[in-house]
């Protein structure tokens, strides 16, 4: 099964393992690498569009034609680029997908309240990516960032083990043997 993984999944796994063995990097970098691994792995699983791409493209073409002429240059291109990728699943949706692929009791052990977890991770990624002061309050604190990173790594590892055929009942043993996991408590706000 390992060798039959799509290229996108191998990319996610490479990012995942490389981030594990770069302990001197900042915690923010490790968190963002874990998020990128999650997004890439979910993308490798197939469906990752909100609607049919052909239908979306025709709708977006109409929206692009209606962008006011006063919005020009780089600003105009920035808006078009956001629209171009607007049909791809959001990070929040990808996290929820990965959490629903595994047994509910395992997902709860990893993430607690899965909706709060997905929101907190997404808000943290958005803050670290854009450094918007208004979003800082919704992001994980420095103390929470390590735990959030470890939980993302664990979520990816559990999904990978699930996809490689590890039976669901054994996934609890994986959690029980993870020393970092057994010592942490991520408390989403």
């Amino acid at each position: 099964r390992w060798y039959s993984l799509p290229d996108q999944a191998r990319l996610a796994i490479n990012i995942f393992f490389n981030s594990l063995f770069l302990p001197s990097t900042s915690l923010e970098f490790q968190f963002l690498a874990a998020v990128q691994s999650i997004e890439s792995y979910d993308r490798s699983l197939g469906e990752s569009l909100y609607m049919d791409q052909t239908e979306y493209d025709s709708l977006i073409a109409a929206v692009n034609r209606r962008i006011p002429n006063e919005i020009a240059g780089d600003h105009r291109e920035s808006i078009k680029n956001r629209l171009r990728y607007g049909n791809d699943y959001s990070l929040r949706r990808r996290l929820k997908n990965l959490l629903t692929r595994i047994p509910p009791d395992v997902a709860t052990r990893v993430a607690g309240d899965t909706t709060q977890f997905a929101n907190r991770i997404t808000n943290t990624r958005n803050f670290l990516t854009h450094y918007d002061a208004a979003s800082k309050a919704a992001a994980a604190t420095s103390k929470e960032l390590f735990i959030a990173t470890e939980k993302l790594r664990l979520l990816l590892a559990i999904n990978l083990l699930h996809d490689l055929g590890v039976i669901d009942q054994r996934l609890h043993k994986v959690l029980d043997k993870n020393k970092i996991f057994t010592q942490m408590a991520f408390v989403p706000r």
Side-chain angles (χ1 to χ4, degrees), residues 69-89:
N69 291 332
E70 294 80 13
I71 299 175
D74 289 344
H75 190 194
R76 185 179 202 83
E77 290 307 309
S78 174
I79 291 171
K80 284 183 174 183
N81 205 32
R82 289 177 197 180
L83 291 171
R84 188 170 101 203
Y85 294 106
N87 196 28
D88 291 348
Y89 283 167

Side-chain angles (χ1 to χ4, degrees), residues 76-107:
R76 185 179 202 83
E77 290 307 309
S78 174
I79 291 171
K80 284 183 174 183
N81 205 32
R82 289 177 197 180
L83 291 171
R84 188 170 101 203
Y85 294 106
N87 196 28
D88 291 348
Y89 283 167
S90 66
L91 172 59
R92 186 174 285 106
R93 174 76 178 260
R94 292 184 186 286
L95 287 164
K96 289 178 182 178
N97 284 349
L98 292 177
L99 287 162
T100 59
R101 297 179 75 245
I102 58 179
D105 55 335
V106 174

Side-chain angles (χ1 to χ4, degrees), residues 17 30 32 62 88 95 107 114 152 158 175 177:
F17 282 118
Q30 291 180 35
L32 292 171
D88 291 348
L95 287 164
T114 57
L152 287 169
I158 292 289
L175 295 177
K177 288 183 180 185

Side-chain angles (χ1 to χ4, degrees), residues 14 27 32 48 50 55 66 84 96 105 122 166 172:
N14 285 338
L27 191 51
L32 292 171
S48 63
Y50 287 108
E55 183 181 347
R66 290 185 177 91
R84 188 170 101 203
K96 289 178 182 178
D105 55 335
T122 302
V166 173
H172 282 287

Side-chain angles (χ1 to χ4, degrees), residues 2-139:
W2 177 264
Y3 294 107
S4 67
L5 290 172
D7 289 340
Q8 186 75 37
R10 280 197 281 280
L11 170 65
I13 293 164
N14 285 338
I15 294 168
F16 170 75
F17 282 118
N18 285 325
S19 72
L20 286 176
F21 300 113
L22 294 173
S24 63
T25 60
S26 71
L27 191 51
E28 292 83 2
F29 176 83
Q30 291 180 35
F31 174 83
L32 292 171
V35 168
Q36 186 177 5
S37 298
I38 288 284
E39 288 185 298
S40 190
Y41 194 75
D42 183 71
R43 188 173 281 115
S44 77
L45 298 173
E47 182 184 336
S48 63
L49 302 174
Y50 287 108
M51 62 188 301
D52 176 72
Q53 189 63 44
T54 305
E55 183 181 347
Y56 181 80
D57 289 343
S58 69
L59 293 170
I60 292 308
V63 172
N64 281 331
R65 286 191 299 273
R66 290 185 177 91
I67 298 173
N69 291 332
E70 294 80 13
I71 299 175
D74 289 344
H75 190 194
R76 185 179 202 83
E77 290 307 309
S78 174
I79 291 171
K80 284 183 174 183
N81 205 32
R82 289 177 197 180
L83 291 171
R84 188 170 101 203
Y85 294 106
N87 196 28
D88 291 348
Y89 283 167
S90 66
L91 172 59
R92 186 174 285 106
R93 174 76 178 260
R94 292 184 186 286
L95 287 164
K96 289 178 182 178
N97 284 349
L98 292 177
L99 287 162
T100 59
R101 297 179 75 245
I102 58 179
D105 55 335
V106 174
T108 300
R109 282 189 70 191
V110 171
D113 180 310
T114 57
T115 299
Q116 284 183 352
F117 177 79
N119 289 340
R120 187 77 156 167
I121 296 298
T122 302
N123 293 336
T124 302
R125 189 278 313 265
N126 291 346
F127 172 69
L128 292 175
T129 302
H130 305 291
Y131 277 99
D132 172 28
S135 63
K136 185 175 184 175

